[in-house]
Amino acid sequence: FEWKSSELNVSKSLKNILDLANRSAAKFLFISPLYVLSNSNFSTTTNNNQEFDFKQLYKFSEALVLEHHKSNATNCRIVRLPFVYGPNISFFSSGALGSLFNDLINNRDLIIYGDENRHEFYIHVNDAVLGVLKSLFSPESNGKVYNLIRDDSHKVLSTSFLIKSLSNRITDIDFKNSAVDFIDFKFNI
């Protein structure tokens, strides 16, 4: 798995899809994670010890979409989503909130990995779907970037105390270091 080759593959594939949308006079929607705006790195090491930076890949893809809009007048928009929670959404795609709820329903003590003071944004799946649909079908959304977030973020520690209060048993909160560089959404949009 090579970073440069995957960047090239994404570039070619995305360009082909954008070209098709343009030829078909279709609307194009690119959904990106909100962490592209954070100062944190979000990378992993591949099998051949090469660092793969997901944040850079999303930023590159967003830039490609916006450039295609400018140069070809393709009807496109970008929607950035924070951690999504709700029915049928995996706990593992819901940030610390999902991890803490997973601990709670499995009768484990709550575990906070990494910095307990980091900030996260969350959105319910129904609100995410509504925001995506509005961005897709609003006439003025062409060429725009939407960040589907509220004004306030949530500290992971505060979230853990809230979830602890829902427990029907004595539940402790444990803190563990993590090799993963968690995203801190402490920034202004």
Side-chain angles (χ1 to χ4, degrees):
F1 186 77
E2 295 287 328
W3 159 247
K4 285 297 177 194
S5 67
S6 66
E7 185 181 63
L8 185 61
N9 288 338
V10 167
S11 173
K12 286 180 181 177
S13 299
L14 188 54
K15 184 180 180 322
N16 287 339
I17 293 168
L18 287 163
D19 287 342
L20 177 63
N22 198 37
R23 283 192 311 272
S24 307
K27 293 181 179 182
F28 180 82
L29 169 69
F30 185 78
I31 297 179
S32 188
L34 185 65
Y35 67 71
V36 299
L37 298 177
S38 75
N39 294 326
S40 301
N41 291 326
F42 192 67
S43 59
T44 188
T45 303
T46 61
N47 291 343
N48 60 356
N49 291 327
Q50 187 176 10
E51 190 171 283
F52 183 78
D53 189 341
F54 292 99
K55 187 169 114 177
Q56 279 304 114
L57 185 60
Y58 278 108
K59 280 181 150 182
F60 175 78
S61 299
E62 284 187 3
L64 186 62
V65 169
L66 293 175
E67 178 57 35
H68 206 280
H69 167 73
K70 284 180 190 175
S71 62
N72 299 307
T74 305
N75 188 343
C76 55
R77 69 267 311 123
I78 296 170
V79 173
R80 295 183 184 132
L81 294 175
F83 292 115
V84 179
Y85 69 93
N88 300 315
I89 299 294
S90 169
F91 286 137
F92 303 106
S93 64
S94 302
L97 179 69
S99 175
L100 293 165
F101 267 118
N102 188 48
D103 290 340
L104 181 70
I105 66 168
N106 287 301
N107 293 315
R108 296 188 301 248
D109 287 337
L110 305 180
I111 299 173
I112 297 176
Y113 296 95
D115 181 9
E116 69 272 8
N117 291 312
R118 74 180 183 277
H119 295 250
E120 291 185 347
F121 286 96
Y122 306 108
I123 189 169
H124 190 273
V125 64
N126 292 348
D127 295 329
V129 168
L130 182 63
V132 165
L133 289 174
K134 275 187 169 185
S135 76
L136 193 56
F137 295 109
S138 295
E140 67 275 359
S141 69
N142 187 13
K144 301 269 175 58
V145 178
Y146 296 95
N147 299 310
L148 297 189
I149 60 168
R150 297 170 53 108
D151 292 336
D152 56 337
S153 61
H154 302 277
K155 275 191 176 181
V156 172
L157 185 60
S158 301
T159 303
S160 65
F161 278 110
L162 179 65
I163 292 172
K164 179 181 176 176
S165 72
L166 301 174
S167 180
N168 59 1
R169 63 179 183 80
I170 296 174
T171 304
D172 289 328
I173 299 175
D174 295 329
F175 303 91
K176 292 193 176 180
N177 289 333
S178 176
V180 176
D181 183 14
F182 287 97
I183 303 147
D184 186 356
F185 285 115
K186 191 175 181 183
F187 55 86
N188 296 321
I189 296 181

